[in-house]
Amino acid sequence: MKNILFVASEGVPFIKTGGLADVVGSLPKDIDKRYFDVRVVLPLYKCISQPMKDKMEYVSNFYMDFHWKNEYVGIFKAEIDGIKYYFIDNEFFFNGMKPYGDDVIFEIEKFAFFSKAALSILPVIDFRPDIIHCHDWQTGLVPVYLKERFQGSEFYRGIKAVMTIHNLKFQGKYDIKTVQDITGLPDYYFTPDKLGLYKDANLLKGGIVYSDAITTVSKAYAEEIKTEFYGEELDGLLRARANDLRGIVNGIDYDEFNPETDKYIPYNYNAINFRKEKVKNKKALQKELGLKEDEKVMMIGIVSRLTDQKGFDLINYVLDELCQDAIQLVVLGTGSEQYENSFRHFDWKYNDKVSANIYYSEPMSHKIYAASDVFLMPSLFEPCGLSQLMALRYGTIPIVRQTGGLIDTVEPYNKYESTGTGFGFLNYNAHEMLGTIREAEHVYYDQKREWNKMIDRAMAVDFSWKVSAEKYQEMYDWLRP
């Protein structure tokens, strides 16, 4: 039996801001319980919902040396779907209305505290992991502290660390003096071959340097981040660690995202009856959002954070042109003000064609996946992306830019061989994207049989967590002490 400990800053069903939480909540459930005991450590944020807090019970508390002070560390636990979760309680650090704030120094201090506390609670909860699986920069100091001070004790000796990079853009950087003062790490750790990067200390870099294995969330992204364009100044380090770096594509929860049983959508359907049933969801959504009720028009769905990374500058650039076509566009999400306002403007200008829903709602996202004919995702870079996997599951054809995880999960349509599960374009170019949308329109309107065969293929691919979990298990075995 191998003990695995996940350490992360968020996880479903307790707290979620993005795809990281889905991974941390779903992956442990699919790892084979006969061989692995997987547990999860999360911060006990004030903003976790009361019903979830009610499931937790108090375990113990102690005080820990941190940042020149004696800090309180409370431990709570809960069990959900057979997985044991532990929570680190400290009201000073985890008191915000959101899990993350804008004060960079405080964020670094908060997650340095969390990283040290996650290691310190292990003897108290009587769980000695063989492998600690860390996620993103917030846990970058776990491998560093493990090697720097905990390894000296018999209990911690020989524990291996894995670092998973969900998005290389976020690294936890600040000037060396401040970070050294917060973390209490000696000078030796802030050289360019360790946490130092130019004049800053970089927490994610520390996690990568001191981990025994590094993973990222798709095969193509693992290759891309070794290049200067995608490497965010860490490409040299990632090339040096290429033998320890692997890409494992994320999955989605096939019980939660299942058009046959989805409680959020008005008409359930499956791969056999979608030709008749799926379109009823489109009509229901058109009615709900005040769009022109026309079951034949091609509906394009977007569920996303509205940021530059997601390619919204491309959409913005050609939206007037696109709205001359026989399409409808339904957008759900929040983000940068310029894109929020731009979609509001187009909603006003093309009222029966464009619906801008500038908020986030889980039920509405499911309705859009089920109702749309195509799902648009023209990302500048995309470590894995989960939306296109959900779209495939609902028989909604993805149109993607071929980058990162989108290369690994969406096979572009080939009209000569009648293969593919979506449409792809290569260059980050607005008119190349528009041309690809129009190619999709052509197949949708003029080759209905081909279109339906593509939906058959899309709904048949398997991106459940079971497949990914097997690859993580292989890595854990590869790391066998």
Side-chain angles (χ1 to χ4, degrees):
M1 192 74 161
K2 254 186 151 166
N3 293 340
I4 314 286
L5 182 74
F6 275 49
V7 184
S9 59
E10 56 180 89
V12 167
F14 297 98
I15 189 86
K16 170 178 171 169
T17 67
L20 164 62
D22 292 308
V23 178
V24 172
S26 307
L27 177 56
K29 291 194 288 199
D30 279 294
I31 287 176
D32 196 327
K33 308 284 182 293
R34 290 171 303 176
Y35 307 110
F36 299 95
D37 180 353
V38 185
R39 305 186 186 184
V40 183
V41 176
L42 298 167
L44 180 48
Y45 297 111
K46 182 186 180 181
C47 53
I48 291 175
S49 74
Q50 199 52 49
M52 285 332 264
K53 282 186 185 158
D54 294 341
K55 295 185 186 330
M56 301 175 192
E57 54 183 277
Y58 171 78
V59 178
S60 181
N61 74 286
F62 56 87
Y63 282 82
M64 173 181 87
D65 280 342
F66 178 74
H67 198 191
W68 310 102
K69 294 192 287 292
N70 241 348
E71 284 288 1
Y72 172 83
V73 179
I75 311 169
F76 285 75
K77 69 174 182 187
E79 192 165 321
I80 306 270
D81 295 332
I83 301 295
K84 289 188 173 74
Y85 291 86
Y86 299 97
F87 300 88
I88 289 171
D89 180 33
N90 178 300
E91 289 216 343
F92 174 69
F93 287 119
F94 304 130
N95 204 20
M97 298 317 291
K98 296 199 295 244
Y100 312 120
D102 299 325
D103 178 348
V104 182
I105 301 179
F106 184 68
E107 291 300 289
I108 286 176
E109 188 181 357
K110 169 163 81 181
F111 290 111
F113 165 79
F114 174 62
S115 298
K116 194 173 177 185
L119 289 164
S120 303
I121 68 169
L122 297 178
V124 184
I125 61 175
D126 193 24
F127 183 68
R128 185 195 177 277
D130 296 295
I131 294 167
I132 299 180
H133 192 155
C134 310
H135 296 267
D136 271 355
W137 77 264
Q138 290 89 347
T139 58
L141 285 172
V142 172
V144 183
Y145 278 136
L146 180 64
K147 299 280 193 302
E148 183 255 350
R149 60 187 63 183
F150 286 88
Q151 209 89 52
S153 130
E154 190 55 43
F155 179 88
Y156 294 91
R157 202 161 297 145
I159 294 178
K160 298 278 176 79
V162 175
M163 189 80 219
T164 293
I165 302 164
H166 295 265
N167 191 338
L168 192 61
K169 200 168 177 61
F170 306 107
Q171 297 179 3
K173 292 188 282 203
Y174 211 73
D175 74 81
I176 287 177
K177 206 167 159 236
T178 308
V179 176
Q180 189 172 0
D181 181 59
I182 289 170
T183 58
L185 292 164
D187 291 348
Y188 164 79
Y189 281 86
F190 294 93
T191 53
D193 59 335
K194 299 185 182 69
L195 274 81
L197 187 68
Y198 304 111
K199 290 197 168 105
D200 285 334
N202 184 316
L203 270 53
L204 180 65
K205 186 181 176 202
I208 294 169
V209 169
Y210 283 96
S211 286
D212 300 281
I214 304 143
T215 76
T216 186
V217 287
S218 70
K219 242 184 164 129
Y221 191 62
E223 291 305 312
E224 286 175 349
I225 58 178
K226 290 186 272 189
T227 66
E228 203 176 321
F229 182 79
Y230 292 99
E232 302 287 347
E233 298 183 329
L234 294 179
D235 48 294
L237 170 61
L238 291 160
R239 285 195 295 276
R241 299 276 333 249
N243 291 341
D244 305 315
L245 170 68
R246 55 182 78 193
I248 302 173
V249 80
N250 281 339
I252 54 169
D253 186 328
Y254 266 38
D255 296 330
E256 191 187 337
F257 296 97
N258 182 354
E260 200 161 15
T261 56
D262 192 330
K263 59 183 188 295
Y264 294 132
I265 66 176
Y267 299 96
N268 292 108
Y269 61 95
N270 58 29
I272 295 156
N273 66 14
F274 74 83
R275 288 168 180 76
K276 283 214 298 285
E277 296 301 312
K278 184 171 164 49
V279 70
K280 294 178 182 172
N281 290 294
K282 187 199 288 189
K283 290 193 330 209
L285 190 64
Q286 286 169 335
K287 193 176 175 116
E288 182 179 343
L289 298 177
L291 290 167
K292 185 177 174 200
E293 290 177 44
D294 174 2
E295 64 179 60
K296 291 197 165 44
V297 71
M298 182 168 106
M299 184 185 278
I300 302 171
I302 294 175
V303 177
S304 177
R305 288 197 320 274
L306 308 180
T307 63
D308 287 338
Q309 180 207 326
K310 300 292 184 184
F312 283 99
D313 48 344
L314 301 189
I315 296 171
N316 226 350
Y317 194 74
V318 294
L319 201 47
D320 252 323
E321 239 174 299
L322 178 61
C323 285
Q324 309 313 310
D325 295 9
I327 57 108
Q328 285 181 341
L329 179 70
V330 179
V331 182
L332 174 69
T334 60
S336 116
E337 211 171 306
Q338 70 179 102
Y339 299 129
E340 291 186 355
N341 290 337
S342 161
F343 282 121
R344 286 189 183 108
H345 165 76
F346 284 109
D347 182 322
W348 164 80
K349 186 171 178 182
Y350 300 101
N351 193 249
D352 58 347
K353 276 192 159 178
V354 178
S355 171
N357 305 279
I358 309 300
Y359 58 88
Y360 185 73
S361 137
E362 196 66 24
M364 179 53 83
S365 73
H366 285 244
K367 287 178 189 172
I368 293 172
Y369 288 121
S372 303
D373 299 295
V374 299
F375 190 86
L376 182 58
M377 216 170 160
S379 306
L380 173 61
F381 64 95
E382 194 61 70
C384 174
L386 297 174
S387 300
Q388 82 281 14
L389 305 182
M390 295 162 191
L392 289 164
R393 178 80 167 136
Y394 284 78
T396 298
I397 301 300
I399 298 178
V400 301
R401 188 172 94 80
Q402 287 164 293
T403 180
L406 303 175
I407 294 175
D408 296 344
T409 53
V410 179
E411 185 194 343
Y413 175 60
N414 179 330
K415 63 181 175 190
Y416 303 107
E417 294 176 10
S418 190
T419 56
T421 55
F423 295 85
F425 63 100
L426 202 52
N427 295 304
Y428 194 71
N429 177 297
H431 279 96
E432 199 168 317
M433 175 189 77
L434 183 62
T436 308
I437 296 172
R438 287 182 169 159
E439 184 194 344
E441 288 176 43
H442 167 62
V443 181
Y444 174 81
Y445 284 117
D446 304 335
Q447 298 169 295
K448 206 59 178 179
R449 203 155 158 260
E450 276 295 291
W451 187 265
N452 284 334
K453 279 175 15 194
M454 204 178 334
I455 296 179
D456 285 331
R457 293 191 293 272
M459 292 183 83
V461 291
D462 185 358
F463 287 108
S464 64
W465 269 112
K466 204 168 130 305
V467 181
S468 311
E470 283 168 11
K471 296 210 167 81
Y472 278 106
Q473 286 165 211
E474 270 168 37
M475 179 188 61
Y476 297 149
D477 286 334
W478 176 71
L479 277 174
R480 191 170 292 263

